[in-house]
């Protein structure tokens, strides 16, 4: 519990781990404080104090207060990149995007519903989410577009970007539905697949089947 | 030329109109100043002075300096809403989204390429575009989702939102390609249709044909 304490695997379940790591304690402190006194009304110093860590410890894990709103997505993007960079299997390029998104989503349990999005009205996080979300969405588009350019050359760069942008938009909607569903929500991967599949099917029809 | 001077139709060509309206002069002044001294380095007072209008005139047309970056999109969103609210023709709900996007895009000539996006590196507008773009993208999603919920009840609310989000993402990619293509660019509508069509086709396949 030394290095694993410092860098917990994002998305991993923490059930049965009574001693929590600093980033988890910082997140929990932030969630409490944002509920009590809103996102704008809370400082990094207050979050660090509540979590029982030094301010410098905060900056070991987060670049800014806003980064606390995107913990799950910021951990998911490199995992998506890795899943798409994995050695080519039999799944064609377009369809492997759906598989990669599902795999990454499977790592995010219902216990890790992004609280800053789920409780945005109570916490006053909406403006900050809107101000910092597009850069992340475009990062997802980039990751998928690069994969499609490589694995589906028929698409061309413009087609790869258009398909990636539609897929990312669909995945965003699927994730938002999952977050908004409440305790009855099933796995995130189901919501994402449901939203993404028609886009994959439509683009497959456009470029034709792979041999 | 009294009320039309005050409220020019956004996207309308101004060729052959030597006396330009205040918002157009403000836009031109802003584009010059952002190129000369960057977005961050330019104040609303400087823009107003260069345009030869009072600061209060600026606020007759724009809510903030950032609104100058989205003139075309901010004019297009209400036109998209109106196009989708038009009396139902024979075109089914999903396909009419494509038609409405094309119609709105046809109102934006190649002479109206959003300069703040096209020259974002030179003008230093990237950060502000990313900070203010998602709220607008979500507005487009809302407009399309409401239309789809009404006209394609088979989709359900979740499907309407997923389809709308994919369509909006695709349209964003099509518009970005049009902006990035340079002087060889064809009509915006062609780029948007090319990007959006596979999404419509895929969602049509999911929900089945309309009678």
């Amino acid at each position: 519990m030394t290095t694993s304490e410092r860098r917990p695997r994002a998305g991993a379940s923490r059930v049965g781990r009574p001693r929590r790591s600093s980033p988890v304690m910082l997140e929990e402190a932030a969630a409490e404080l944002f509920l009590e006194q809103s996102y704008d009304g809370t400082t990094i110093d207050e979050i660090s104090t509540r979590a029982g860590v030094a301010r410098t410890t905060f900056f070991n894990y987060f670049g800014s207060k806003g980064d606390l709103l995107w913990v799950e997505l910021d951990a998911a993007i490199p995992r998506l990149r890795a899943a798409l960079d994995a050695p080519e299997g039999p799944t064609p390029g377009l369809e492997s995007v759906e598989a990669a998104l599902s795999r990454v989503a499977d790592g995010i349990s219902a216990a890790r519903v992004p609280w800053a999005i789920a409780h945005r009205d109570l916490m006053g996080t909406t403006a900050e989410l809107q101000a910092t979300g597009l850069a992340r969405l475009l990062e997802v588009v980039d990751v998928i577009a690069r994969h499609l350019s490589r694995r589906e050359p028929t698409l061309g760069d413009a087609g790869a970007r258009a398909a990636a942008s539609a897929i990312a938009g669909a995945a965003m909607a699927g994730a938002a539905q999952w977050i908004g569903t409440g305790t009855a929500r099933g796995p995130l991967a189901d919501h994402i697949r449901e939203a993404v599949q028609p886009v994959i099917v439509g683009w497959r029809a456009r470029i034709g089947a792979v041999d």
Side-chain angles (χ1 to χ4, degrees), chain A:
Chain A
M1 260 241 191
T2 50
T3 55
S4 74
E5 180 76 53
R6 283 203 51 222
R7 293 163 172 272
R9 285 238 321 287
S13 169
R14 282 174 190 88
V15 174
R17 275 184 63 178
R19 273 197 66 206
R20 286 153 308 154
S21 61
S22 295
V24 171
M25 289 193 296
L26 282 162
E27 265 194 82
E28 289 177 357
E32 287 172 15
L33 285 162
F34 295 168
L35 269 181
E36 291 166 21
Q37 56 192 39
S38 89
Y39 176 81
D40 285 337
T42 301
T43 66
I44 289 175
D45 280 338
E46 288 172 314
I47 296 166
S48 305
T49 303
R50 173 79 61 103
V53 304
R55 183 185 161 87
T56 51
T57 304
F58 179 95
F59 288 105
N60 285 343
Y61 298 104
F62 303 103
S64 67
K65 190 173 70 166
D67 285 355
L68 286 161
L69 309 187
W70 295 106
V71 173
E72 291 77 17
L73 180 57
D74 286 344
I77 292 174
R79 284 190 286 139
L80 179 63
R81 190 180 287 117
L84 291 173
D85 283 348
E88 297 184 24
T91 314
L94 261 171
E95 288 75 9
S96 66
V97 176
E98 190 189 315
L101 286 168
S102 286
R103 203 146 2 123
V104 171
D106 277 334
I108 302 175
S109 81
R112 294 281 300 168
V113 172
W115 45 265
I117 302 177
H119 306 297
R120 59 192 178 281
D121 291 338
L122 288 171
M123 294 183 172
T125 49
T126 302
E128 181 69 16
L129 287 166
Q130 289 195 343
T132 55
L134 186 56
R136 287 167 165 96
L137 181 65
L138 293 175
E139 214 183 323
V140 174
V141 172
D142 279 344
V143 169
I144 299 174
R146 264 198 300 268
H147 167 83
L148 289 176
S149 286
R150 203 172 59 237
R151 294 282 311 278
E152 298 278 7
T154 325
L155 281 173
D157 282 346
R161 240 189 123 77
S165 210
I167 292 168
M172 174 180 78
Q177 275 149 22
W178 177 74
I179 293 168
T181 301
T183 50
R185 62 174 70 80
L188 170 59
D190 291 356
H191 289 260
I192 288 189
R193 250 194 317 267
E194 189 79 5
V196 164
Q197 234 165 32
V199 181
I200 307 282
V201 167
W203 271 100
R204 173 57 66 211
R206 160 77 68 94
I207 64 175
V210 190
D211 300 327

